[in-house]
Amino acid sequence: MDWDEFSAKLTVTLADLPAGALVVISEAEEVEDGHYTQFAQGDDHLLAYVVANCFLASHLQASQEGEHIISQAGWHESPPGHPADNWWYQLQWPASSAQYRELADMAIVALRDGYGISNPDGWWYRAWNERTGNEAIELPRLGLPRKL
């Protein structure tokens, strides 16, 4: 799967998330403490994150130019006084399909262009709903394997 196909699959997946859903999409398991993006669906917003350099080994970190690309894509840095937080973005809900596509594309730009990841091959996801006792959520439209 290439990044364009993954963006399309992520778009439809995000649009279908129920309130209380938490989704973590991570790099291949053999990459210890690797890159990830995550999403938390609330009642009136979808909160999205992309990993920040402070959580990555030095060889996995974005360069200064890469961080600029992530910022230009629309991601927000952690607020002052919270240097160990991920890049974040909040999408008001309900959102249009164009807004979900924009958010999916923002995640792709951060991972592909900001961090230099060539494709999502080997990536996996975990998803659950905190409002239903952390019951696992299947996301077949995402096109990635679910990690148990």
Side-chain angles (χ1 to χ4, degrees), residues 1-3 6 27 111-112 116-123:
M1 173 170 22
D2 65 19
W3 283 120
F6 181 66
E27 213 166 2
L111 297 169
R112 180 192 61 209
I117 300 167
S118 60
N119 60 58
D121 288 347
W123 284 57

Side-chain angles (χ1 to χ4, degrees), residues 2 4-5 12 17 25 36 38 48 67 76 95 108 112 114 118:
D2 65 19
D4 290 336
E5 182 181 356
V12 296
L17 292 178
I25 301 170
Y36 59 87
Q38 57 191 37
E67 286 192 313
H76 304 291
I108 301 318
R112 180 192 61 209
S118 60

Side-chain angles (χ1 to χ4, degrees), residues 90-109:
Q90 184 170 305
L91 179 62
Q92 294 304 308
W93 190 88
S96 69
S97 57
Q99 290 171 307
Y100 284 115
R101 178 61 186 226
E102 181 181 341
L103 178 57
D105 287 345
M106 286 172 57
I108 301 318
V109 167

Side-chain angles (χ1 to χ4, degrees), residues 51-133:
V51 65
N53 276 348
C54 62
F55 295 110
L56 297 169
S58 60
H59 70 282
L60 297 175
Q61 293 180 359
S63 64
Q64 189 173 11
E65 179 183 339
E67 286 192 313
H68 178 73
I69 290 168
I70 294 168
S71 175
Q72 290 299 110
W75 293 98
H76 304 291
E77 292 186 77
S78 59
H82 294 81
D85 287 343
N86 289 313
W87 293 92
W88 65 275
Y89 183 82
Q90 184 170 305
L91 179 62
Q92 294 304 308
W93 190 88
S96 69
S97 57
Q99 290 171 307
Y100 284 115
R101 178 61 186 226
E102 181 181 341
L103 178 57
D105 287 345
M106 286 172 57
I108 301 318
V109 167
L111 297 169
R112 180 192 61 209
D113 304 332
Y115 287 107
I117 300 167
S118 60
N119 60 58
D121 288 347
W123 284 57
W124 51 269
Y125 78 92
R126 287 183 297 132
W128 64 96
N129 191 319
E130 66 181 4
R131 295 186 184 178
T132 60

Side-chain angles (χ1 to χ4, degrees), residues 8-19:
K9 290 175 182 253
L10 181 58
T11 298
V12 296
T13 298
L14 294 176
D16 287 343
L17 292 178

